[in-house]
Amino acid sequence: AATMALPVAARAADVVGEEPPAPSVPYEEPASNGWAGPYVGATVGYGFGHGDSSVTGPATRRGFTGNGFAGVQGQNGQFVYGGEADVGYDAGTANAGTTHIKGGVDGSLRARLGYAVTDQVLLYGTGGGAARHVGISDAAGSDSGLALGWTAGAGIDAKVTDNVFVRGEYRYTDF
């Protein structure tokens, strides 16, 4: 009877062992929302330029600018495409001889095409139409009106968070 009890006790001891660890769940990085979707923002800047007219002679222009912008983008792989509009105020002035030129409300409507270097950095080019209210005065009087033209440039957007980005941009505008 004692020999029969030993194998039973041995089998019971085998059952007391630890259970194997549960399989671990692999960690997945949350998907980034990329650069697709609508956005809004504001900019401040400083404008400068130099021109020459056969009527008034050489002119220099300087002044601060500020505007608001809104756009929408789509993304296919690393290529980003979309459109953007902005409206703002140009406080710049220019003097050409005795002629004084003053900026005012301005805006543009542009296409954008970019390349997402990473989920956090977007390089882009932009171009489209531009409009500006301009006031001109000289010894003969003053006048104001709407000037139409085009604009083109390039820039970089860098995400600070998934919903906030900072921008550095250079744009040339010709009216």
Side-chain angles (χ1 to χ4, degrees):
T3 52
M4 291 183 109
L6 284 175
V8 172
R11 277 186 249 143
D14 289 343
V15 174
V16 174
E18 292 183 24
E19 290 186 30
S24 63
V25 177
Y27 174 75
E28 290 187 26
E29 185 76 27
S32 169
N33 60 1
W35 291 96
Y39 59 93
V40 297
T43 64
V44 293
Y46 187 79
F48 57 91
H50 179 77
D52 199 7
S53 166
S54 61
V55 176
T56 60
T60 57
R61 180 206 173 291
R62 294 176 170 42
F64 287 95
T65 64
N67 69 15
F69 62 87
V72 64
Q73 297 180 139
Q75 185 168 354
N76 187 1
Q78 290 182 276
F79 293 99
V80 179
Y81 50 90
E84 183 172 295
D86 67 72
V87 65
Y89 186 79
D90 178 2
T93 60
N95 293 306
T98 60
T99 303
H100 182 73
I101 304 163
K102 184 175 184 325
V105 175
D106 63 5
S108 69
L109 182 60
R110 302 179 316 281
R112 285 173 42 108
L113 180 60
Y115 182 78
V117 178
T118 68
D119 283 344
Q120 281 19 62
V121 177
L122 173 68
L123 298 175
Y124 67 89
T126 186
R132 162 188 277 172
H133 182 267
V134 178
I136 300 174
S137 61
D138 61 13
S142 64
D143 196 6
S144 65
L146 183 66
L148 299 176
W150 59 274
T151 186
I156 182 170
D157 289 348
K159 287 186 180 179
V160 177
T161 70
D162 274 346
N163 296 318
V164 176
F165 67 90
V166 294
R167 171 179 286 178
E169 179 179 81
Y170 172 82
R171 263 186 22 217
Y172 175 83
T173 305
D174 188 332
F175 292 104

